Amino acid sequence: MPITKEPKLISGNANLSLAKGIARRMSMHRGVNTQLVDTRVERFNDGEIFVEVFENVRGEDMFIIQPTSNPANDNLMELLIMSDALRRSSASRTTAVIPYFGYARQDRRTKARTPISAKLVANMIVGAGIERVLTMDLHAAQIQGFFDIPVDNLYASPLFALDIMKQFADRLSDVMIISPDVGGVARARELAKRINAPLAIVDKRREKPGEIAEMTVIGNVEGKCCIIVDDICDTAGTLCKAAEVIMENGASEVHSYISHGVLSGPAVERITKSVMKSLVITDSIEASESTRAAPNIRVLPTAPLFAQAILNIWNGTSVSSLFDADMLEPIYEGIF
């Protein structure tokens, strides 16, 4: 087997701009020009996906950059078919870089006769020949255990901490971190510890999926600059309602930091018209034109984080070192 001289990146159609950004950052880090492997990923008239790799990948350490965001099924199939193409082309190792892991919200059986789709997707990924997964802010940490291969789960929390300390530098003492539900307390507490801020919780009760019956703020938010922290914002109904309730309880202003901006349906319009002063998301999912045009939505780049994580995996060094904001600060120098 030939010795691998450098990592090789390949991308599907889900988030090409992020893939190109990762390639640029790796070029900067290494002083060696890194380009995406020349690939054709297209669809036949009946919707079937076809992949052709135009470069030799025999014995190479391959990284497929492909979030499984909307359309989740198409992007997932692209990932699986690309992996199969690389395996049949004798790639040495294939790592799936999945900035946003679709189907993660179906991580357990909530009632009788329902699937655990996250486990099914994990089985499909392993069966396609992928030997390692790199992702960010899994909706449920136990999903790592669904895989029989190594899974590196990065966190947006250090990135958010850096941004908050810059954006709110003159009023950090007034900042309070808010968990929009009881299930997200651990995530919110982690960020609160990083910036030494107090924590409050919005307790919500649902009558049925997609409908919120009641919301209550647990904690004193009066006069505070509140920052809601969550991993996913889909239709933004819960987020905007939580912001309203927090303002009704006396907060001076409300901002939100969300790892994955799914922002489907009326989400962007809701956010634009909401009481939130700003919503900060990452580019784990490619932002739509309406998202980019929204006056109160800002996108943080994850390319420096993923580029360094890929290099650490390739070099066989620690990925968990990137959980520390002090390690990320030099990587993001000039961005914040």
Side-chain angles (χ1 to χ4, degrees):
M1 186 70 68
I3 297 174
T4 300
K5 295 182 179 179
E6 60 182 65
K8 286 199 170 184
L9 307 180
I10 186 170
S11 176
N13 294 316
N15 199 338
L16 268 173
S17 58
L18 175 58
K20 291 175 181 176
I22 292 172
R24 285 194 299 270
R25 294 297 302 194
M26 288 177 63
S27 299
M28 291 171 59
H29 291 334
R30 300 181 62 232
V32 175
N33 187 24
T34 302
Q35 298 287 338
L36 298 176
V37 170
D38 190 14
T39 311
R40 178 162 62 114
V41 182
E42 60 184 34
R43 283 164 177 73
F44 293 122
N45 291 333
D46 63 353
E48 288 184 7
I49 296 167
F50 175 75
V51 173
E52 183 176 6
V53 181
F54 294 113
E55 298 179 25
N56 179 29
V57 297
R58 184 178 296 274
E60 298 288 356
D61 196 357
M62 302 298 302
F63 293 83
I64 306 173
I65 303 169
Q66 178 79 344
T68 51
S69 51
N70 184 37
N73 298 333
D74 287 355
N75 289 331
L76 175 60
M77 282 304 299
E78 279 190 14
L79 172 64
L80 301 176
I81 292 171
M82 282 190 290
S83 175
D84 187 71
L86 294 175
R87 178 173 60 175
R88 295 176 188 279
S89 302
S90 301
S92 174
R93 179 179 66 170
T94 302
T95 299
V97 182
I98 312 175
Y100 171 71
F101 186 85
Y103 285 100
R105 285 175 281 184
Q106 299 182 46
D107 63 300
R108 64 195 186 281
R109 295 186 68 190
T110 56
K111 57 182 70 173
R113 296 175 296 280
T114 58
I116 305 178
S117 302
K119 171 59 176 171
L120 173 62
V121 170
N123 291 345
M124 293 167 67
I125 287 172
V126 174
I130 288 167
E131 298 169 64
R132 191 180 197 101
V133 170
L134 174 64
T135 187
M136 185 178 76
D137 273 355
L138 283 170
H139 183 65
Q142 67 264 24
I143 292 174
Q144 295 175 81
F146 292 175
F147 291 87
D148 294 325
I149 56 176
V151 177
D152 292 304
N153 183 31
L154 300 175
Y155 297 102
S157 182
L159 187 57
F160 289 163
L162 289 175
D163 189 72
I164 290 170
M165 285 188 286
K166 178 185 177 182
Q167 298 294 325
F168 302 91
D170 57 341
R171 46 183 170 153
L172 269 177
S173 59
D174 294 330
V175 168
M176 175 175 272
I177 301 299
I178 309 290
S179 173
D181 53 43
V182 175
V185 170
R187 182 182 299 105
R189 185 185 293 118
E190 169 68 16
L191 180 57
K193 284 182 179 178
R194 289 181 183 275
I195 63 172
N196 195 27
L199 175 69
I201 303 167
V202 175
D203 179 39
K204 63 185 178 184
R205 298 181 183 181
R206 294 182 189 268
E207 293 294 336
K208 57 184 179 181
E211 184 177 300
I212 300 165
E214 183 184 352
M215 277 189 168
T216 307
V217 178
I218 303 173
N220 183 13
V221 299
E222 189 169 353
K224 293 291 187 179
C225 175
C226 294
I227 298 177
I228 301 173
V229 180
D230 208 353
D231 64 325
I232 296 173
C233 176
D234 194 344
T235 59
T238 299
L239 185 66
C240 292
K241 178 63 176 176
E244 289 177 12
V245 172
I246 291 167
M247 289 297 291
E248 289 168 2
N249 278 261
S252 60
E253 56 188 60
V254 179
H255 304 261
S256 295
Y257 279 74
I258 307 293
S259 304
H260 308 295
V262 177
L263 303 183
S264 56
V268 175
E269 183 181 358
R270 282 176 175 170
I271 292 163
T272 303
K273 295 178 178 178
S274 74
V275 298
M276 278 187 296
K277 292 197 70 174
S278 70
L279 167 65
V280 179
I281 59 176
T282 73
D283 60 355
S284 61
I285 298 172
E286 189 158 26
S288 64
E289 289 185 14
S290 60
T291 299
R292 290 192 292 267
N296 59 343
I297 299 179
R298 187 160 54 89
V299 181
L300 292 182
T302 57
L305 174 61
F306 278 107
Q308 190 61 55
I310 289 170
L311 288 173
N312 288 6
I313 291 171
W314 171 63
N315 286 321
T317 54
S318 172
V319 173
S320 61
S321 63
L322 299 175
F323 300 168
D324 190 348
D326 291 337
M327 293 294 294
L328 281 186
E329 194 166 8
I331 297 173
Y332 275 87
E333 190 173 1
I335 296 177
F336 289 111

